[in-house]
Structures are given as structure tokens and as C-alpha cells.
Amino acid sequence: MTNRTPIPQSIINDVNARTDLVDLVDQSGVKLVKSGREWMGLCPFHSERTPSFTVRPEKGFAHCFGCGAHETAIGYQMRVYGQTFIEAIKDLAWRAGVDLTDYVGRAEKPAHKPKPKIASRADEKDRETETNKRRLRGQALWKKGVAVEGTAAEEYLANYRGIDRGLFLQSPVHRFIPDYEFWYRARDAKKSEAIWTGPALLTVMQYIDDRFAACHITCIDLDQEKGRLKLTAPDDGRDLNTKRVMGDPSKAAMRLGKPAFVMVGGEGLETTYSGMMVSGHTGWCSYSLDNLVGACVMDAKGDRHPLDGRMRLPSVVPDMARPGMIWPRECRERIFLGDGDTKDMHMLKAKLERGSRRAHAEGCIGRVAMSAPGTDFNSMIRGAA
Ligand code: ZN
């Protein structure tokens, strides 16, 4: 091989821009459905049952909200077909009619048709086994936990978050582990490695029939102002989410309080406990906002974003077949908690509205309660303390 000029960024951009990303993803075997300005489907890079993989053709990338995959056309081609950068750009340039002669030799029709590796196409049985494995691992972790009294978890909830000890100290849903290992898999690494070991609050997530669903993990660092661990990815310096879930959390709840006629529901422990304290109601919580309110009908269009007419809000129409967290039967009035310091309040309100509508469709009352603008529920109670 002779030394060739490296491919300039402008050519790389050109190949990306001229590749129809929806087409590319579709041809690799991922079925996409249009939803507003984006397309959605099951992620090819991690195994899932509900779609969190989105393709944004006009932005030129695909993004997965489940595993964080974020790829341009060339990146997608590399990952899904296991190609090198040069192989991928050659194949795409050929299709898009971009001339790479000066950099990689004459464009030629790809000699072989590579086989895509699609995680979420694994058949139902494989997927079930995988979910089950994760659930068992979560259960093993949960079993290692000890009572939170006198641990960093008690200190975190009571002193750093201002949660009333009476609410959580005797609660069977929390445990503590002093040496949780935070595993991380770098972008190009074959294996994951433990990048942090330390104290964590464990919270059990249960299906509506009481069975163990998942273990929710909050990593604690009492040297931080809010007591939560801050961790950045060793390879690209991204902030990592130091709350994790091990198991099958999609329909499950963290049962922070006893079922009651009126209950609050929130995303995350701290918000929900704070909402319980502010309102005097009991509550359950979910591990994510999307799971708290459940999915929307996939092809339903959301309203135009009031601040940016080119954007659409998430649809408020619930897909009744994909409910997310199941509420207890005893609860006839669901109050969805929204933190007033959320970056995009309009997006948040649209999702909470979907939760409300789902409650109505199920014969319950659904309401939305927002904390004061610029504050979250937790700062309301910490301010009052
Ligand atoms: Zn994914």
C-alpha cells in the first residue's frame, strides 16, 4: 500500500449527508416506524422489546435512548456490519456516488455483502432468557444488601435529600451495599470493567403480582453536595448516569408507600419521596419518566413545540398495550409529579399529560402536579427543612 492522503472531513460529511439514513437502517433489517420528525424501531445494538432507537434523517444521526448508541451513517455502517472505517466509507460512497479515488483508490462495487448484526432481532426465546438472566443478577445483588439504618444510604436520603426517616428507614424496599461495582464498557473495548466501587442504595422493583422485577441502584458519594456519585466515562469523558437498574423494570414499580386511593407517582426516588412529603399522599415510583407514563401510540403526532415550531412534542395519546409502570388497583387517583426545573417543560408536560390520559382511559383520575418553576420537589422540601 502506498501512503494516501487521509480522507478530508468535508468528504466524510458529504458521504454522511448523501446517505439516506432511514434506508440504510431499514436495509440492515431494522423495521422503522415514522413518528413525527423521527423514525423509531428496536435497537440493533442492544436487546429490547420496546423501541428506543430513533433515526433523525434531517439531523444526520441515529440515537438510542436505551443504550446511548449515537451514530452517523458511516458509524452505523461500521457497527452494524462490523466494518472498519475505510470499508464502511467505501461502501457508502459507492452507493452515494461520492468519488474517493484520491484517498482510497477507485470506487468499486462492494465485493461482498456483509451480514448485519442486529441485537433486537434475536428471537423471542433468546430475549426472554437474556431478560431473565438480568433479573436473576439483579436479584442476587438485592440479596447481598443489608438494612439501610446507620449506613451511607440513610445519610444520603435523610441528610442530603431531606427525606423523612419515618418514610424509608423501616421500608422493606430499600437495602444498602457498601461495595457496589460500577461496570463500564468503553466504546471499542471487548469487555466491560469495574471503574468504581463504593456504597449504593438498592431499591427493589416489583411487578404488580409482587414478584421481583429488578434492582434499582443509586451510587452514593457523600463528598458531593447532593450525595450522588459523579462519574465520567474513561474513554470519552461523558457524564455517566450513576443510577442503574438491573433486571426487567418496564412494568415494575418501586413501592415507596402503601397502596391508597390517592397516590403520587414520580420519576426517581428523590422526587417521589419529596412529592409524598409535600402532598401527604403515599406513592410509587418508576425508573424513568417514559416508563412512568407509558408509551404513546407510535404513529400519533404530538403538538407543535410552542417555542420551536419545527419540533414536535411527544404525543399525549397513550398506547394502552404499552402501559409502563402498573399502578396498584387500590389507587383511583394518580398524581403525576413533574419537576419544575426540567430543561424542556413543554416536553415534560406533554408526557405527564399522556400519563393522565392513560389513567382516565383506565377509569381513574389522572392529574399533574408541578413543583414551583425552577425548583424540583426535592429542593422544595430541602428548602423547608
Ligand atoms: Zn440501544
Side-chain angles (χ1 to χ4, degrees):
M1 279 289 267
T2 52
N3 273 339
R4 293 186 206 272
T5 338
I7 304 173
Q9 191 60 43
S10 59
I11 300 282
I12 297 173
N13 294 347
D14 199 28
V15 172
N16 276 327
R18 289 207 211 182
T19 301
D20 185 329
L21 198 50
V22 174
D23 238 29
L24 182 72
V25 173
D26 183 71
Q27 281 176 19
S28 69
V30 176
K31 193 172 178 290
L32 293 172
V33 176
K34 194 153 196 267
S35 167
R37 279 149 58 87
E38 60 189 28
W39 296 71
M40 293 195 75
L42 293 175
C43 180
F45 304 124
H46 84 280
S47 179
E48 62 175 5
R49 277 175 295 184
T50 49
S52 30
F53 183 74
T54 58
V55 179
R56 301 261 184 113
E58 87 287 359
K59 293 233 169 104
F61 62 74
H63 180 81
C64 174
F65 291 95
C67 67
H70 189 93
E71 303 292 352
T72 59
I74 297 172
Y76 185 84
Q77 174 85 7
M78 287 169 70
R79 255 182 103 172
V80 86
Y81 294 109
Q83 290 183 318
T84 64
F85 174 74
I86 296 294
E87 287 167 345
I89 197 169
K90 270 173 104 171
D91 282 7
L92 292 183
W94 164 261
R95 283 173 48 158
V98 176
D99 183 13
L100 293 184
T101 318
D102 293 348
Y103 318 105
V104 295
R106 234 160 55 80
E108 33 187 282
K109 193 168 191 294
H112 59 291
K113 218 172 170 220
K115 241 183 130 172
K117 288 182 277 228
I118 307 289
S120 296
R121 213 174 39 186
D123 68 54
E124 197 63 33
K125 217 170 169 189
D126 284 358
R127 224 178 295 146
E128 238 162 60
T129 325
E130 203 181 302
T131 307
N132 215 26
K133 266 194 213 152
R134 276 205 309 271
R135 219 167 48 77
L136 290 174
R137 259 189 283 151
Q139 200 162 19
L141 178 66
W142 171 245
K143 281 184 180 154
K144 283 207 293 192
V146 299
V148 297
E149 186 157 15
T151 68
E154 176 184 357
E155 204 168 327
Y156 167 69
L157 285 174
N159 301 343
Y160 287 69
R161 293 303 180 138
I163 312 295
D164 196 339
R165 281 186 171 76
L167 284 178
F168 72 84
L169 212 47
Q170 302 306 323
S171 167
V173 304
H174 297 303
R175 288 182 185 172
F176 172 73
I177 180 166
D179 53 358
Y180 175 71
E181 288 182 347
F182 193 100
W183 287 71
Y184 177 76
R185 183 165 161 188
R187 235 180 125 79
D188 298 314
K190 286 209 174 68
K191 280 186 181 162
S192 18
E193 54 172 341
I195 56 170
W196 177 83
T197 303
L201 167 68
L202 307 181
T203 308
V204 67
M205 302 190 69
Q206 292 168 270
Y207 300 121
I208 197 67
D209 63 3
D210 301 342
R211 279 179 309 134
F212 179 95
C215 184
H216 181 274
I217 303 137
T218 307
C219 298
I220 300 173
D221 178 359
L222 296 180
D223 290 336
Q224 297 291 336
E225 190 203 334
K226 287 187 166 181
R228 275 270 303 279
L229 174 68
K230 284 190 178 144
L231 210 55
T232 50
D235 50 347
D236 57 14
R238 241 170 345 114
D239 284 333
L240 296 173
N241 185 357
T242 56
K243 283 192 171 184
R244 296 194 141 178
V245 178
M246 195 179 283
D248 173 30
S250 69
K251 289 180 180 169
M254 289 176 258
R255 305 179 176 184
L256 304 188
K258 287 207 170 70
F261 194 88
V262 182
M263 292 176 76
V264 298
E267 168 202 11
L269 292 171
E270 298 79 1
T271 297
T272 311
Y273 269 134
S274 307
M276 286 162 69
M277 287 172 65
V278 170
S279 68
H281 294 297
T282 169
W284 281 11
C285 89
S286 173
Y287 73 106
S288 76
L289 180 61
D290 286 290
N291 200 59
L292 177 71
V293 302
C296 63
V297 174
M298 267 232 281
D299 48 5
K301 263 192 178 172
D303 287 342
R304 278 194 197 289
H305 198 294
L307 300 182
D308 181 353
R310 291 167 308 172
M311 267 170 55
R312 291 246 173 216
L313 294 172
S315 164
V316 297
V317 183
D319 178 347
M320 300 309 287
R322 295 187 294 152
M325 182 183 101
I326 311 269
W327 291 67
R329 201 166 21 101
E330 294 87 338
C331 174
R332 308 308 299 168
E333 183 170 345
R334 306 173 190 170
I335 304 172
F336 293 88
L337 302 172
D339 276 330
D341 64 346
T342 308
K343 237 186 287 152
D344 191 331
M345 296 293 286
H346 300 281
M347 297 273 254
L348 171 66
K349 282 180 178 165
K351 286 190 180 177
L352 296 175
E353 168 71 17
R354 186 199 303 158
S356 265
R357 290 191 183 208
R358 182 185 306 282
H360 287 286
E362 290 174 355
C364 297
I365 297 172
R367 292 201 286 138
V368 171
M370 302 290 299
S371 59
T375 69
D376 59 19
F377 275 100
N378 192 233
S379 58
M380 282 171 79
I381 59 159
R382 282 190 301 147

